[in-house]
């Protein structure tokens, strides 16, 4: 009898071992397979069982969570959704996450191990941490000024603080309300299809995900290369530039919209945006020098994240001399995001030094304690300080005497550069209106903001598309908002300035 009991005990022990081994196989070995199975709703139920952490602007949450009472209990909500969509992106139960909602998803959802009170605590206890908060660098007043300035037009605005790299505004229009995508209802599905089928692409983040020919705003880069290389030493000396300028090795003649560009000085050519002068300067500098300067500003870098990825701005390195001339005036294959062109303006304002742009100031636990802070970004030298000083002088002249007069702000020093970029086969597309700028209040030691604005003109206003007319007033509004926040209130000049 004892022998039978012993055999039964051994058999039961073997069954228990087999059960444990099978449980381990299912929970460890086959876990990824079950987690990825569309029929398994447990991860989604757990994910949406608690409110999501918030994204903050100026100490105020621009996101929230709504208790639906459903299995997927909490849905994302957004305050001023269209205005902040190029920053937050969306967090949808059906379509996933984008932009900050995606880049900081671990922290916002509570899944980030950094939120656990002790290492491996959640793995042992099965606990789930409350979602943390993301504090952005955005200036709410600047964001609103950019959004309202663009109005119903297609375009984008990027603004950064030159001394730190903090992104102060990031706007793309037309926009959309991310809250309409938050749930998994039929209405969310209809909204998804409508937004994706819209030819105006409201979910495209034009500020960081689309590149445009920068047109004459790229002449800041060309001027920096010419000054750094010693091709030009005196801003007021004639440049020996013909008008029209025949592109090297071709019969193509490049012309200007402005008069008086023949042999114009760099100062005159910059203020009135003479294509012939800058195309010749780019050719004189050479492919190597132009490429090195463009790279120093941030072109051809496909690794920039803010923390979500930024599209690569490009300066073609495999060009002949004629193509180099066109590239040097922001045409041919030269392409840039608005954020990249804001960096160009910031490098000038920063005395030739620039810091990489960033959007997240710090992350917090639900109770408010610090998880991580951005810290100081390393600087890189783009150009010699003497070159930056001369470019400040040139950009100030554009606003005081040239094509950027509508960006002038009373009580501040403003530097700018206009641009009207051609595109399409035979330049058949409606031009893009550009303006890049920086501003320093008269009581400030350094520039407080650098801005880039691009407006996609419509066929109806093709003849009136200009950087000085369409984009400069928008940039002025953003700069005024930042200067008013940062120091003594400044006012714009009387209408018509």
């Amino acid at each position: 009898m004892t022998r039978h009991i012993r055999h039964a005990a051994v058999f039961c022990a073997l069954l228990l071992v087999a059960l444990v081994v099978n449980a381990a196989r299912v929970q460890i070995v086959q876990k990824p397979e079950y987690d990825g199975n569309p029929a398994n709703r447990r991860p989604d139920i757990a994910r949406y069982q608690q409110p999501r952490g918030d994204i903050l602007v100026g100490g105020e949450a621009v996101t929230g969570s709504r208790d639906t009472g459903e299995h997927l209990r909490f849905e994302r909500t957004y305050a001023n959704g269209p205005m902040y969509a190029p920053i937050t992106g969306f967090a949808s139960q059906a379509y996933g996450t984008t932009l900050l909602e995606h880049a900081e998803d671990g922290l916002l959802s509570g899944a980030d191990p950094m939120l656990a009170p002790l290492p491996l605590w959640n793995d042992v206890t099965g606990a789930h941490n409350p979602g943390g908060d993301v504090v952005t660098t955005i200036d709410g007043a600047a964001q609103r000024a950019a959004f309202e300035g663009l109005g119903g037009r297609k375009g984008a605005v990027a603004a950064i603080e030159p001394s730190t790299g903090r992104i102060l505004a990031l706007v793309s229009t037309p926009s959309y309300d991310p809250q309409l995508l938050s749930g998994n209802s039929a209405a969310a599905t209809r909204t998804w299809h409508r937004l994706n089928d819209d030819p105006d692409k409201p979910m495209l983040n034009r500020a960081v995900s689309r590149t445009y020919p920068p047109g004459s705003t790229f002449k800041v880069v060309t001027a920096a290369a010419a000054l750094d290389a010693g091709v030009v030493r005196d801003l007021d000396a004639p440049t020996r530039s013909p008008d029209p300028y025949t592109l090297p090795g071709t019969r193509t003649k490049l012309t200007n919209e402005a008069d008086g560009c023949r042999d114009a000085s760099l100062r005159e050519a910059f203020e009135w945006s003479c294509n012939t002068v800058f195309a010749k300067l780019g050719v004189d500098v050479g492919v190597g020098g132009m490429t090195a300067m463009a790279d120093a500003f941030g072109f051809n870098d496909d690794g920039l994240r803010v923390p979500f990825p930024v599209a690569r701005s490009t300066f073609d390195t495999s060009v002949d001399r004629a193509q180099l001339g066109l590239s040097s005036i922001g045409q041919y294959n030269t392409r840039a995001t608005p954020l990249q062109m804001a960096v160009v303006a910031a490098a000038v304002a920063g005395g030739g030094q620039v810091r990489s742009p960033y959007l997240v100031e710090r992350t917090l636990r639900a109770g408010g304690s610090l998880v991580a802070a951005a810290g100081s970004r390393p600087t890189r030298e783009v150009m010699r300080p003497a070159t930056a000083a001369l470019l400040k002088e040139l950009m100030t002249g554009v606003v005081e005497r040239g094509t950027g007069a509508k960006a002038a702000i009373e009580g501040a020093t403003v530097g700018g550069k206009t641009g009207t970029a051609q595109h399409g086969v035979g330049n058949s597309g409606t031009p893009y209106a550009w303006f890049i700028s920086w501003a320093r209040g008269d009581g400030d030691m350094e520039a407080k903001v650098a801005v880039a604005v691009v407006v996609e003109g419509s066929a109806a206003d093709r003849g009136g598309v200009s950087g000085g007319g369409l984009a400069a007033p928008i940039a002025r509004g953003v700069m005024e908002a930042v200067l008013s926040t940062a120091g003594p209130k400044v006012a714009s000049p009387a209408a018509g300035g």
Side-chain angles (χ1 to χ4, degrees):
M1 184 61 133
T2 303
R3 182 168 57 86
H4 293 303
I5 294 174
R6 188 165 54 250
H7 288 170
V10 170
F11 181 69
C12 288
L14 291 173
L15 289 176
L16 181 60
V17 170
L19 183 63
V20 170
V21 170
N22 186 60
R25 179 181 65 85
V26 170
Q27 295 184 21
I28 298 174
V29 178
Q30 293 185 304
K31 182 179 184 297
E33 179 183 343
Y34 285 119
D35 284 347
N37 191 317
N40 180 15
R41 300 194 70 202
R42 292 180 64 86
D44 285 341
I45 292 173
R47 175 182 176 84
Y48 298 109
Q49 195 62 31
Q50 65 178 21
R52 191 170 172 83
D54 284 321
I55 297 171
L56 280 68
V57 171
E60 299 292 329
V62 297
T63 60
S65 295
R66 181 175 71 90
D67 190 347
T68 66
E70 305 289 339
H71 281 298
L72 304 185
R73 184 173 171 183
F74 285 95
E75 280 184 8
R76 196 56 148 165
T77 62
Y78 295 88
N80 295 310
M83 186 168 77
Y84 288 110
I87 297 160
T88 63
F90 61 76
S92 169
Q93 294 176 350
Y95 303 108
T97 54
T98 59
L99 301 181
L100 267 188
E101 293 277 29
H102 181 73
E104 299 291 348
D105 182 62
L107 181 116
L108 292 166
S109 67
D112 192 329
M114 292 286 289
L115 298 176
L118 295 170
L120 302 178
W121 176 264
N122 291 354
D123 293 337
V124 174
T125 64
H128 196 78
N129 301 304
D133 294 336
V134 175
V135 180
T136 70
T137 58
I138 294 295
D139 180 315
Q143 184 78 4
R144 181 171 295 280
F147 185 74
E148 293 179 351
L150 281 169
R153 294 183 290 255
K154 282 191 284 189
V157 177
I160 60 179
E161 186 176 62
S163 61
T164 62
R166 297 168 67 245
I167 297 175
L168 303 177
L170 207 62
V171 169
S172 175
T173 56
S175 190
Y176 69 103
D177 187 351
Q179 187 165 326
L180 300 178
L181 297 172
S182 294
N184 56 12
S185 64
T189 301
R190 288 193 298 271
T191 299
W192 174 258
H193 290 300
R194 174 178 59 79
L195 291 173
N196 279 283
D197 292 341
D198 190 330
D200 287 338
K201 300 185 183 302
M203 288 197 294
L204 172 65
N205 190 339
R206 289 171 163 82
V208 297
S209 298
R210 181 169 187 178
T211 60
Y212 299 82
S216 293
T217 59
F218 191 79
K219 291 171 183 173
V220 174
V221 179
T222 303
L227 289 166
D228 247 22
V231 172
V232 175
R233 299 182 185 278
D234 183 348
L235 297 184
D236 297 303
T239 54
R240 298 180 183 177
S241 304
D243 183 10
Y245 172 59
T246 302
L247 295 172
T250 75
R251 295 181 180 178
T252 302
K253 295 184 182 298
L254 191 64
T255 59
N256 302 289
E257 292 189 11
D259 296 326
C261 287
R262 182 187 301 275
D263 297 329
S265 67
L266 183 59
R267 188 188 304 277
E268 293 167 332
F270 196 88
E271 289 177 4
W272 297 105
S273 209
C274 296
N275 289 331
T276 52
V277 173
F278 283 91
K280 184 177 183 296
L281 283 177
V283 172
D284 291 344
V285 171
V287 174
M290 284 298 301
T291 299
M293 183 57 70
D295 288 352
F297 273 105
F299 285 78
N300 300 326
D301 178 6
D302 55 8
L304 179 61
R305 304 181 70 88
V306 295
F308 43 80
V310 177
R312 182 176 185 260
S313 297
T314 57
F315 182 82
D316 197 336
T317 61
S318 57
V319 291
D320 60 27
R321 296 175 76 227
Q323 293 163 344
L324 177 61
L326 293 175
S327 298
S328 300
I329 59 172
Q331 299 290 164
Y332 191 57
N333 288 337
T334 305
R335 309 278 298 188
T337 62
L339 182 61
Q340 172 61 61
M341 295 313 296
V343 170
V344 169
V348 175
Q353 303 280 331
V354 72
R355 297 179 189 267
S356 293
Y358 68 98
L359 186 56
V360 175
E361 193 74 80
R362 58 188 179 276
T363 53
L364 308 172
R365 293 181 177 84
S369 61
L370 182 69
V371 176
S376 178
R377 291 294 196 273
T379 60
R380 69 174 185 271
E381 184 174 283
V382 175
M383 67 194 100
R384 292 183 291 114
T387 296
L390 292 174
L391 281 172
K392 282 184 183 180
E393 193 176 328
L394 292 176
M395 292 183 75
T396 302
V398 168
V399 176
E400 293 179 350
R401 299 178 298 278
T403 56
K406 290 186 177 180
I409 300 173
E410 185 179 341
T413 300
V414 179
K417 183 70 189 79
T418 55
T420 305
Q422 308 292 334
H423 66 102
V425 178
N427 293 333
S428 59
T430 304
Y432 301 129
W434 276 94
F435 191 73
I436 66 172
S437 59
W438 50 265
R440 174 181 60 81
D442 286 348
D444 297 325
M445 297 295 294
E446 58 189 11
K448 295 298 183 184
V449 59
V451 184
V453 178
V454 63
V455 180
E456 300 180 25
S458 66
D461 61 8
R462 181 185 177 99
V465 174
S466 71
L470 288 180
I474 300 171
R476 182 186 66 205
V478 175
M479 292 185 291
E480 285 176 336
V482 174
L483 293 177
S484 296
T485 302
K489 190 171 183 178
V490 295
S492 58

